[in-house]
Amino acid sequence: MTREAGRHGGAGEQAVLLVAGAADLAVSTLGSAVGAVRGLLRRSDAAELAAQAEQDLSARGRLVLDRHAAVPPAHLEILARHVLARKSADDD
């Protein structure tokens, strides 16, 4: 798929180019990750690193669940609390 200078391809060609670019990025990233894993397996403290990685992932998962699972208070409830606080401040 070659293009002449100054000539833009259609939507189909653009989609193919985007998919090919994404695939190339994924392959290169996967290759880097495999190289990193090989390097980690050669280390003598691999078991300790794996345990620490597990703890880090568990902590990260806990943070994500806490962030997304907590239901924020209802908007009207917050407004009602502000009204009650103002009334009690005016009474004093």
Side-chain angles (χ1 to χ4, degrees):
M1 292 184 125
T2 59
R3 294 191 304 178
E4 296 175 19
R7 192 172 162 214
H8 298 286
E13 182 180 352
Q14 186 68 22
V16 169
L17 290 174
L18 288 174
V19 169
D24 182 54
L25 178 63
V27 168
S28 66
T29 302
L30 184 62
S32 298
V34 168
V37 168
R38 284 183 184 160
L40 287 175
L41 291 176
R42 290 185 196 130
R43 293 180 61 143
S44 61
D45 59 345
E48 183 180 320
L49 283 174
Q52 187 178 13
E54 181 181 358
Q55 290 174 350
D56 290 347
L57 285 175
S58 294
R60 181 180 286 264
R62 198 172 310 117
L63 288 172
V64 168
L65 289 178
D66 289 346
R67 185 180 327 131
H68 295 290
V71 178
H75 181 69
L76 291 177
E77 180 69 25
I78 294 171
L79 291 176
R81 289 180 186 171
H82 283 290
V83 169
L84 289 175
R86 283 186 183 170
K87 282 185 180 179
S88 67
D90 290 341
D91 291 341
D92 293 336

